[in-house]
Amino acid sequence: MRVVSLAPSATATVAALGGSDRLVGVTAHSRDIDAPVVGGWLNPDFETVADLDPDIVLTSDALQRDVRDDFRDRGFDVHHVEPATLDDVLSSFAEIGDAVGLPDTGIELGAESRERVREIRETAPEDGPVVYCEEWSDPPMAAGNWVPDVVEAAGGRYPFVDAGERSREVEASAVEAADPEHAVVHVCGKGDSVDPDFAGRGWTFDADVHVIDDSLLNQPSPRLLDGLEMLAARIRGD
């Protein structure tokens, strides 16, 4: 199949399925994939995609609904996923596998990923530390979607956003009142090139600060499992 992926998470998932050779076009935000770039996440180039003659176009997230609809209106076959929780992310691996002609591999990847989550959860402390996860810093936004599930699976507590809800702006007073032991900074689109300055904002809390590559927590792909394992190691100190 000829696949154009307009979402970095879909690109990473196809690669994890062993289908990199099927990717004939990717968004500019996809990493480490040798394929023509077809524009940005929210502003793909329709003519470039049309020239690539894909069998399927992959989109993801509510923010890409308009992109999905525009491509469908132009006659493209589009597979769209909108995972909101960790379970949704794991289920999407089989969906994407089926969409790109790798159904068995998708099922296997989903099962392997659930096993990785189970192994981490089994060793999680019963009353773990409070963890604050910041997806954006100006204004500060506490991460939502699947991140609360990931923190819980890693052995932490996350009193800022419920699993499945969108990330939301957060006040310093709310973070200080929660008294987190760990603050994880994973600013969208910044990789790990962030220098958090909580003191400069006037925030006062005594937390270990961890800056990690944003794709490890923000991206609903198999990279999220790597992020879970890294987070578990950081907050457990092992």
Side-chain angles (χ1 to χ4, degrees), residues 31 134-137 185-197 209-216 218 223 234:
R31 304 177 185 176
E134 186 167 284
E135 180 182 298
W136 195 251
S137 297
V185 181
H186 49 106
V187 177
C188 189
K190 297 294 186 179
D192 57 2
S193 301
V194 179
D195 184 16
D197 184 14
V209 178
H210 313 275
V211 178
I212 68 173
D213 190 300
D214 67 291
S215 68
L216 293 173
N218 298 347
R223 288 186 61 79
R234 295 286 181 92

Side-chain angles (χ1 to χ4, degrees), residues 81-156:
V81 295
E82 286 188 22
T85 64
L86 177 57
D87 188 64
D88 292 342
V89 174
L90 302 181
S91 296
S92 73
F93 300 161
E95 293 180 37
I96 293 173
D98 190 55
V100 301
L102 297 167
D104 294 340
T105 310
I107 292 171
E108 291 171 6
L109 179 60
E112 292 168 0
S113 299
R114 290 183 188 280
E115 179 62 18
R116 289 172 70 182
V117 174
R118 185 192 65 78
E119 290 175 353
I120 293 291
R121 276 202 170 110
E122 280 190 347
T123 58
E126 292 186 4
D127 188 23
V130 173
V131 180
Y132 167 65
C133 293
E134 186 167 284
E135 180 182 298
W136 195 251
S137 297
D138 187 20
M141 296 185 70
N145 300 309
W146 45 82
V147 171
D149 286 331
V150 170
V151 172
E152 178 272 329

Side-chain angles (χ1 to χ4, degrees), residues 3-232:
V3 180
V4 166
S5 173
L6 301 180
S9 58
T11 303
T13 301
V14 173
L17 292 168
S20 295
D21 58 339
R22 303 182 182 211
L23 290 165
V24 297
V26 297
T27 174
H29 305 287
S30 295
R31 304 177 185 176
D32 304 323
I33 296 294
D34 184 18
V37 173
V38 297
W41 190 49
L42 297 179
N43 57 340
D45 187 314
F46 292 97
E47 292 184 3
T48 299
V49 174
D51 289 341
L52 293 171
D53 191 27
D55 298 302
I56 191 78
V57 174
L58 304 178
T59 56
S60 179
D61 195 272
L63 294 176
Q64 279 199 312
R65 288 176 184 171
D66 288 344
V67 173
R68 171 201 64 190
D69 293 344
D70 285 346
F71 272 93
R72 285 178 175 168
D73 289 345
R74 293 167 185 254
F76 291 90
D77 188 4
V78 181
H79 182 77
H80 181 81
V81 295
E82 286 188 22
T85 64
L86 177 57
D87 188 64
D88 292 342
V89 174
L90 302 181
S91 296
S92 73
F93 300 161
E95 293 180 37
I96 293 173
D98 190 55
V100 301
L102 297 167
D104 294 340
T105 310
I107 292 171
E108 291 171 6
L109 179 60
E112 292 168 0
S113 299
R114 290 183 188 280
E115 179 62 18
R116 289 172 70 182
V117 174
R118 185 192 65 78
E119 290 175 353
I120 293 291
R121 276 202 170 110
E122 280 190 347
T123 58
E126 292 186 4
D127 188 23
V130 173
V131 180
Y132 167 65
C133 293
E134 186 167 284
E135 180 182 298
W136 195 251
S137 297
D138 187 20
M141 296 185 70
N145 300 309
W146 45 82
V147 171
D149 286 331
V150 170
V151 172
E152 178 272 329
R157 289 177 287 144
Y158 195 76
F160 305 102
V161 184
D162 290 334
E165 295 185 358
R166 302 292 288 188
S167 302
R168 66 166 66 109
E169 191 171 345
V170 65
E171 299 292 335
S173 57
V175 178
E176 293 167 353
D179 193 23
E181 295 181 40
H182 298 271
V184 182
V185 181
H186 49 106
V187 177
C188 189
K190 297 294 186 179
D192 57 2
S193 301
V194 179
D195 184 16
D197 184 14
F198 292 113
R201 298 181 196 169
W203 288 26
T204 55
F205 57 77
D206 184 19
D208 293 333
V209 178
H210 313 275
V211 178
I212 68 173
D213 190 300
D214 67 291
S215 68
L216 293 173
L217 285 183
N218 298 347
Q219 189 180 100
S221 77
R223 288 186 61 79
L224 187 61
L225 282 300
D226 299 332
L228 166 59
E229 291 169 350
M230 176 183 288
L231 183 61

